[in-house]
Amino acid sequence: MPDLFFIAECVLLGAFAGFVGGMLGIGGGVVIVPVLVLLLDTRELVAHADVTRVAGATSLATIVFSSFAAARAQVQRGAVRWDLATPWAPALLAGSLAAGVLAGAVPSGAARLFIGAFLLLGINLLLGIACYLVLRSGWKLRN
């Protein structure tokens, strides 16, 4: 019998990742992978050595749905600039195919380090962009 609490956690995680990804245009994997690593490891649903790889692969499989839904909504709003998006497609496809081939060869520990470094870089970039936008708007912390 499936663990209903785990299913509920995944449903909440999916809803949150889909919302954040759709609103901010970021990959839901930024939310899903770290939390799924924690859930899979603490519940011992996957061998410890495979947790990162399984979390990443599971995240990729689920993001297909949220990406499609969010992209569809943005296309319907007329917010997509196809002249900007189209040139990226071949490089994104090539990079995705190469990553799919190489992912199996990367040791689990190296994958964890890469994900951690990527998340730290992402947080740093988001904070930098937020600071830039606040300063650009003229908003001041004190009068």
Side-chain angles (χ1 to χ4, degrees), residues 43-102:
R43 295 185 181 279
E44 298 178 351
L45 296 173
V46 177
H48 181 71
D50 298 330
V51 167
T52 305
R53 187 167 288 118
V54 170
T58 303
S59 173
L60 285 172
T62 62
I63 288 171
V64 169
F65 303 107
S66 63
S67 294
F68 177 77
R72 183 173 179 257
Q74 296 298 339
V75 167
Q76 287 177 337
R77 279 191 23 203
V80 176
R81 291 268 316 265
W82 290 108
D83 60 321
L84 298 176
T86 305
W88 291 55
L92 287 171
L93 179 60
S96 297
L97 291 172
V101 170
L102 294 174

